[in-house]
Amino acid sequence: HLINTAAQTESFQLSVFDHSIADDHAVTPSIGNWLSADIKPSRITIAPGEDFTAILEHLQNLQVIEIQFPVFTDGRGFSTARELRERGYTGTLQATGAFILDQIEYLSRCGFNAFEFQNENHANIAKIRLAQRQEVYQGDARQPLPLFRRRAD
């Protein structure tokens, strides 16, 4: 389960994982389990490097896609998020697992708009960092045009 800390910065959702109420029945289904379910939940989880092409035709039915980060050095979740955004997913992309605070800005630039933290202090720090985002030169999932193209218009 996630406890919403009600910390929101622009369109970002920050939550803290509560280990005391976690149970196996509340686990977000994997792609395989989701595809085989008779009644499809509105959320799904994607493991690092997992082939998600089977869900592309169902993106409009998914409200939340959780992308797992088993260790902070595994960057495949960044690519997964960017590809989902480029393929038209507009719902909530939630980073879960072992990402670190230094990655928050990059995660948001790849399309993540929700983050699950292991403690409330990290959620509060992320809120401050996301509020202080600055204009970036390169295009990204939030703003595909690079700065020089935006200035030319």
Side-chain angles (χ1 to χ4, degrees):
H1 288 44
L2 295 176
I3 295 178
N4 189 342
T5 62
Q8 294 191 6
T9 302
E10 294 178 17
S11 60
F12 295 102
Q13 300 169 11
L14 308 174
S15 60
V16 179
F17 184 75
D18 186 354
H19 297 280
S20 67
I21 60 172
D23 63 41
D24 292 335
H25 302 291
V27 174
T28 303
S30 66
I31 291 175
N33 291 341
W34 188 87
L35 289 170
S36 64
D38 293 330
I39 299 174
K40 307 239 186 289
S42 62
R43 59 188 308 133
I44 195 168
T45 188
I46 299 177
E50 187 173 15
D51 181 13
F52 57 89
T53 55
I55 66 162
L56 291 177
E57 63 188 63
H58 305 283
L59 290 179
Q60 72 280 359
N61 300 323
L62 293 167
Q63 293 177 2
V64 178
I65 297 178
E66 294 179 11
I67 299 178
Q68 300 173 349
F69 287 85
V71 294
F72 79 91
T73 56
D74 188 339
R76 294 175 287 179
F78 290 87
S79 301
T80 300
R82 177 76 186 238
E83 189 167 350
L84 286 167
R85 290 296 188 208
E86 288 175 350
R87 292 179 180 239
Y89 182 65
T90 59
T92 300
L93 271 183
Q94 180 172 313
T96 64
F99 61 91
I100 59 175
L101 286 172
D102 288 347
Q103 297 171 322
I104 288 295
E105 292 89 352
Y106 300 112
L107 288 164
S108 70
R109 291 187 64 201
C110 289
F112 285 98
N113 57 352
F115 309 91
E116 179 184 277
F117 296 92
Q118 298 302 312
N119 68 63
E120 193 165 349
N121 186 45
H122 286 176
N124 291 331
I125 293 169
K127 179 181 178 183
I128 293 167
R129 284 187 167 189
L130 290 169
Q132 296 174 345
R133 284 183 304 154
Q134 297 183 3
E135 191 75 28
V136 295
Y137 186 78
Q138 305 89 349
D140 58 28
R142 293 184 322 238
Q143 173 54 260
L145 291 177
L147 184 61
F148 75 92
R149 292 271 188 227
R150 291 179 293 211
R151 287 185 175 168
D153 292 338

